[in-house]
Amino acid sequence: MSGELTQSVIKRIIRQVGLECAAQGQTLSETLVAFMVKAVVLDPRNDFNMDRILTENNMQDLIQRCVTRLLDTTNPSLSTIKMQVYFDMNYANRDDLLSEQQRVLEGKLAPMVRAITEAGARAQEERENMYQKIVTYVLLRSGLGAPTDTEAVREVTAALQSVFPQAEMITFISLSKKDKEQQLKDLAMLVTGIRLYNKQCQKGGSGIEDLPAILNEAIPSATQTVDERLNSCQLLAHQYTALLESMQEDPHRYSRLSTFKLKEALFNVRQYESFLSILLSDAITNAQEVESLGVQVEATMMVLKNRMQDKTSIESKDVFPLFMELSKLWTGFQDAKLLLSFLTNMTDNLQQFLEIQSQLFPEEMLTSFLEGVTVKSDEERIKETMETRVNVSDFKNQEWLFPETTDDFDELLIQYHGFCAHSIGVKGLTLVGNPAIGILKHKEKCYVFSSKEAAYIFAQDPDKFIQLNVEKAKEYPELIQLLELHHQFEYLVPHAQARNASKYSMKPPPKRDSGTQTDTHILPPTIVRSYEWNEWELRRKAIKLANLRRKLTHAMQTDLSHMRRENVTQVYLPKDVGTQTKRDNSSNVPKPQIFLKGLRGGSSPTTHMVAVDLTRPLDET
């Protein structure tokens, strides 16, 4: 609010309003009371002066007005505000809901995890007790059965024994706390996958629900319920819109209707329609997710059966990843069931905020008022204006967007929740806008219109009609959330400014986002971590080093460390070295060639041998 209204004053007003409502039997949340206080201050008809400190009389007047509006149970506006507060405080998207559920589960299992990971069981009996705790942890984390179900406990124990025998408890105890926690999660997923596979093979499955079948039956039913309620409230919105348009054309004919707060009723069903659309979208997304999970589970089961068929022994690396994947997919089914329950509860609880419609407008009364009135649905209104389009040449300094000339046309952020920007402030009606007529882009914001005429009128002075919409939201505070005008009400217009300014010239104070970045450390760090200024600390380190010199180093081999140490030895190979001490030389001499003649004998009985020397002289070589 204004700077004059300090936080303490606001809290005092909210507390006093809450106490007075409680004294009259209405216990309201602080959020609802705070919103109503802001709504009463915003309403120009209450004429609150925010330029000066509120006197005690002003505060009492404000409190009484708030109490009166909060206790008026026949006002659709109050029901709409309560609906908005309830939805804001209770609705969560899929990611937030699942993360909160995971946080709650981790909190419940935290004491058991600490008991397992922090205990140093050494004796055989202690290890057996810890093993039983692990069995209970796996069962609780999977959500497939209760610890009191003996059959489920037996199945979990058998599955756990197959992947984590009790003999490995000694190794488990020696792990760090972080590694223990991770191994517990992995064991829970493995055991869950094994149990799901056994259930598929009809060899177990105690305490395991057939979630795919349950969800395939429950999701269509829940979606149909939301869709039926959505159609009903849309019909009411179309009927109220037709009556309001008829009242503007012929006020005398429907003079009686002015007392029934038709506009507040219209805003009520439009807000209900908006919330139901969100829930219906979540339900459809949930149904698509369940369908995808079902296909993946069947495929994973088929692969597991093929790998495990007629085999006496299987390597863990072939099936463990499949068991883990099966557990993840089943967690998806559990998440889908949780989301479905949440959406069902939200749908049922929202219904109470629409009960005032049947009280104000019984079916017989509404039927009599609608005699001779043409009721058009939103689709029919859009269809009537599909052939009309804004002529861009009629506007000089304004930008119009059309489907064929704009990328991501359907992804544009439309102001006022897609309602006609002209009809809200002028007629007080929430008529659905038709983007095919043309989307006006004004000051980086996009606006749609219900007719070509409304678009031309709005484009003549957009700021004027934007301010008209803001003024309409001040009269009907439920429009702030319905039309998504929160950014317009982050301030309060001072009373003096409202009195002196023209009717449509009130603007919020100009604001601009700015930021400054300064380097923390410009120069590179020069800190010497090994430096020590305290001489006593240096003395202590010196004594410690001197003491270490007289210590012996002991080493021992364990089952975990043997054959795991890496040893490296580096040697220098001999170099190739040669030494030359002489020079080899050679010379050639004639080869002796001596022949003997007469060795074979002849005619004479006496052999006469003659030696013939044919060796060449040395000087000829």
Side-chain angles (χ1 to χ4, degrees):
M1 296 181 181
S2 171
E4 300 295 342
L5 275 178
T6 62
Q7 291 295 326
S8 59
V9 174
I10 296 175
K11 290 181 180 179
R12 176 188 170 188
I13 294 174
I14 294 174
R15 183 169 57 252
Q16 189 64 32
V17 172
L19 290 175
E20 294 197 16
C21 291
Q24 300 189 39
Q26 289 287 339
T27 303
L28 306 174
S29 66
E30 184 177 348
T31 305
L32 175 61
V33 175
F35 187 90
M36 185 57 69
V37 171
K38 182 177 181 179
V40 172
V41 173
L42 280 173
D43 195 341
R45 294 171 296 185
N46 295 328
D47 198 26
F48 275 102
N49 188 342
M50 305 306 298
D51 285 342
R52 65 175 186 272
I53 299 176
L54 290 177
T55 64
E56 189 64 28
N57 292 334
N58 296 139
M59 291 180 58
Q60 292 301 322
D61 184 27
L62 176 59
I63 292 172
Q64 290 303 318
R65 289 177 182 270
C66 293
V67 171
T68 301
R69 295 191 62 171
L70 287 170
L71 296 179
D72 185 7
T73 56
T74 63
N75 191 348
S77 178
L78 178 61
S79 296
T80 307
I81 294 175
K82 288 182 178 180
M83 185 196 314
Q84 293 169 345
V85 172
Y86 169 80
F87 196 84
D88 285 345
M89 296 180 64
N90 293 276
Y91 176 76
N93 57 36
R94 179 186 181 90
D95 294 337
D96 294 340
L97 181 66
L98 297 183
S99 62
E100 177 63 19
Q101 177 67 15
Q102 184 64 26
R103 187 190 66 80
V104 172
L105 177 61
E106 295 290 348
K108 291 181 178 179
L109 295 177
M112 183 172 296
V113 173
R114 285 195 300 269
I116 296 174
T117 58
E118 297 178 0
R122 300 300 178 185
Q124 178 67 22
E125 184 179 354
E126 293 177 348
R127 290 197 295 269
E128 291 179 356
N129 292 335
M130 182 181 292
Y131 195 84
Q132 291 301 319
K133 291 181 180 178
I134 295 177
V135 171
T136 305
Y137 167 83
V138 170
L139 184 59
L140 291 176
R141 186 170 187 86
S142 66
L144 303 180
T148 56
D149 187 351
T150 55
E151 186 65 22
V153 173
R154 186 187 64 80
E155 290 182 10
V156 172
T157 304
L160 186 61
Q161 284 281 5
S162 64
V163 296
F164 183 69
Q166 288 194 24
E168 296 187 13
M169 283 297 299
I170 299 176
T171 305
F172 176 80
I173 294 171
S174 63
L175 297 176
S176 64
K177 186 174 185 295
K178 185 177 181 180
D179 292 339
K180 289 180 183 178
E181 293 176 353
Q182 184 60 44
Q183 186 166 351
L184 285 175
K185 293 179 181 179
D186 294 342
L187 288 174
M189 296 182 68
L190 279 174
V191 172
T192 300
I194 293 172
R195 293 189 64 201
L196 292 172
Y197 176 75
N198 291 339
K199 176 179 173 59
Q200 182 71 15
C201 299
Q202 299 181 355
K203 297 180 180 180
S206 176
I208 302 178
E209 297 178 321
D210 190 0
L211 286 183
I214 294 174
L215 291 172
N216 288 333
E217 181 181 354
I219 288 181
S221 176
T223 304
Q224 182 180 359
T225 300
V226 177
D227 192 51
E228 290 175 354
R229 294 182 180 180
L230 183 60
N231 292 333
S232 299
C233 77
Q234 286 176 341
L235 177 60
L236 281 178
H238 302 156
Q239 292 174 342
Y240 293 162
T241 301
L243 286 177
L244 286 169
E245 288 178 330
S246 299
M247 288 175 60
Q248 294 174 357
E249 295 174 359
D250 187 5
H252 300 290
R253 180 181 178 185
Y254 295 98
S255 58
R256 292 172 52 200
L257 279 175
S258 60
T259 60
F260 290 101
K261 304 178 181 179
L262 260 179
K263 288 185 179 180
E264 290 91 334
L266 173 62
F267 300 151
N268 181 262
V269 294
R270 283 297 190 185
Q271 185 64 80
Y272 185 72
E273 174 192 6
S274 174
F275 289 155
L276 283 186
S277 298
I278 295 174
L279 298 179
L280 181 61
S281 176
D282 290 346
I284 294 174
T285 302
N286 197 31
Q288 295 172 347
E289 184 70 18
V290 169
E291 183 179 359
S292 175
L293 288 172
V295 175
Q296 296 179 58
V297 166
E298 291 182 2
T300 306
M301 285 290 188
M302 185 65 66
V303 175
L304 267 172
K305 288 182 178 180
N306 293 336
R307 292 190 181 181
M308 301 183 68
Q309 189 173 13
D310 299 333
K311 293 182 180 180
T312 56
S313 62
I314 305 173
E315 293 189 15
S316 60
K317 65 179 182 180
D318 293 335
V319 293
F320 276 17
L322 294 175
F323 287 138
M324 302 278 280
E325 181 64 21
L326 196 59
S327 175
K328 291 179 182 178
L329 295 175
W330 197 261
T331 302
F333 281 124
Q334 293 173 327
D335 293 342
K337 181 181 179 182
L338 172 68
L339 185 62
L340 177 63
S341 176
F342 170 77
L343 295 177
T344 303
N345 291 335
M346 287 290 296
T347 303
D348 294 338
N349 292 332
L350 283 177
Q351 184 68 19
Q352 61 181 315
F353 303 108
L354 204 69
E355 293 176 354
I356 193 171
Q357 300 292 336
S358 58
Q359 300 175 10
L360 292 178
F361 303 100
E363 186 175 353
E364 299 80 7
M365 179 188 298
L366 192 59
T367 303
S368 63
F369 285 147
L370 288 172
E371 291 181 0
V373 178
T374 302
V375 179
K376 298 179 182 179
S377 66
D378 292 341
E379 292 76 11
E380 291 174 343
R381 292 177 184 272
I382 291 177
K383 188 175 180 180
E384 289 178 355
T385 57
M386 285 299 293
E387 303 301 326
T388 60
R389 173 175 289 204
V390 170
N391 188 0
V392 180
S393 60
D394 295 338
F395 306 91
K396 296 181 179 179
N397 300 322
Q398 290 174 334
E399 182 180 0
W400 291 88
L401 306 178
F402 299 96
E404 65 276 5
T405 60
T406 306
D407 296 333
D408 299 327
F409 184 80
D410 295 333
E411 303 298 327
L412 293 175
L413 181 61
I414 306 299
Q415 298 297 307
Y416 306 130
H417 200 67
F419 292 118
C420 175
H422 173 263
S423 61
I424 296 170
V426 176
K427 301 179 181 180
L429 299 178
T430 51
L431 299 179
V432 63
N434 185 3
I437 297 175
I439 297 179
L440 175 62
K441 188 174 183 181
H442 177 70
K443 295 181 178 180
E444 303 302 322
K445 295 181 180 179
C446 300
Y447 303 89
V448 293
F449 308 95
S450 58
S451 65
K452 181 178 178 180
E453 295 75 13
Y456 273 76
I457 297 174
F458 184 91
Q460 293 177 0
D461 192 354
D463 293 330
K464 167 187 173 182
F465 292 100
I466 291 173
Q467 188 58 39
L468 273 178
N469 297 336
V470 173
E471 294 300 321
K472 185 64 66 174
K474 291 180 180 180
E475 297 180 17
Y476 302 95
E478 61 269 29
L479 290 179
I480 296 176
Q481 179 163 340
L482 176 61
L483 303 181
E484 301 170 353
L485 296 176
H486 304 90
H487 62 283
Q488 297 279 359
F489 291 91
E490 296 176 351
Y491 65 95
L492 280 179
V493 178
H495 186 75
Q497 179 182 349
R499 288 292 182 87
N500 299 330
S502 61
K503 185 176 182 182
Y504 306 122
S505 63
M506 291 186 293
K507 299 180 180 180
K511 297 180 180 180
R512 181 179 61 184
D513 294 335
S514 62
T516 303
Q517 183 176 359
T518 304
D519 291 336
T520 306
H521 301 290
I522 301 176
L523 300 177
T526 57
I527 300 176
V528 181
R529 300 296 179 184
S530 61
Y531 171 76
E532 184 61 59
W533 63 270
N534 193 332
E535 60 178 329
W536 291 101
E537 181 65 19
L538 292 173
R539 175 184 174 86
R540 186 186 67 81
K541 290 182 178 180
I543 294 174
K544 182 178 180 181
L545 291 174
N547 190 33
L548 285 176
R549 294 181 59 187
R550 295 192 294 271
K551 298 295 182 182
L552 295 179
T553 301
H554 297 276
M556 62 184 297
Q557 203 79 15
T558 65
D559 290 338
L560 295 179
S561 64
H562 77 283
M563 298 184 67
R564 293 190 178 183
R565 179 178 177 183
E566 296 180 358
N567 293 327
V568 179
T569 303
Q570 184 177 6
V571 298
Y572 292 93
L573 298 176
K575 296 188 296 183
D576 295 334
V577 179
T579 305
Q580 185 176 2
T581 58
K582 64 178 181 177
R583 186 176 64 178
D584 295 336
N585 203 351
S586 63
S587 61
N588 292 329
V589 296
K591 183 176 181 181
Q593 294 182 348
I594 301 174
F595 298 93
L596 299 177
K597 176 184 178 184
L599 292 178
R600 294 186 180 183
S603 59
S604 175
T606 306
T607 301
H608 298 282
M609 182 183 65
V610 179
V612 180
D613 188 2
L614 298 181
T615 303
R616 297 175 63 188
L618 288 174
D619 56 354
E620 293 182 6
T621 59

